[in-house]
Amino acid sequence: MSNAAAGFASAVKAYSNVANGQAFGSREQQKTPSAGGDQFASLVRNAIDEAIKIGEKSERLSIQGVNDKADLNQVVTAVAEAEVTLQTVVAVRDKVIDAYKEILRMPI
């Protein structure tokens, strides 16, 4: 696995750990998956699933907030978390598209 791929995998794993309530710097978080297309696909799939869950949580809390059934601090925190998640997904998507374009420019 290249350094860039390992760094990306590590970043996605760290994000997943934080989203699951684990602290920064845990030993489990510092492990990188071994090379393999299935593991990378699984890693990306899990990151996307986690982003979807965060968005759904934000929507659920927003609806509860409108109905006066949720604490305003929880609603604001959930919406901010969803916004950061969306920005992260868009940034990763942009990097993947840039990498794909760079591969297309490579001479055969």
Side-chain angles (χ1 to χ4, degrees):
M1 183 181 295
S2 71
N3 286 340
F8 175 75
S10 177
V12 171
K13 177 75 172 163
Y15 173 77
S16 176
N17 287 344
V18 170
N20 290 329
Q22 296 176 3
F24 286 105
S26 68
R27 286 288 173 206
E28 181 181 330
Q29 178 179 348
Q30 294 174 357
K31 296 177 185 176
T32 57
S34 61
D38 291 339
Q39 290 176 340
F40 180 74
S42 175
L43 182 70
V44 172
R45 190 173 16 259
N46 289 342
I48 291 171
D49 289 343
E50 189 64 35
I52 290 170
K53 287 178 189 175
I54 290 171
E56 290 171 347
K57 176 184 172 189
S58 172
E59 288 178 14
R60 191 170 47 253
L61 280 173
S62 294
I63 291 169
Q64 289 176 358
V66 168
N67 294 327
D68 245 359
K69 295 181 180 178
D71 181 38
L72 184 60
N73 290 330
Q74 289 178 334
V75 174
V76 171
T77 302
V79 170
E81 185 179 10
E83 182 179 5
V84 169
T85 301
L86 180 61
Q87 290 172 349
T88 303
V89 168
V90 169
V92 169
R93 181 208 61 191
D94 291 346
K95 290 292 185 180
V96 168
I97 290 171
D98 289 343
Y100 178 73
K101 287 179 181 179
E102 187 66 30
I103 290 170
L104 289 178
R105 282 188 230 128
M106 288 182 178
I108 298 177

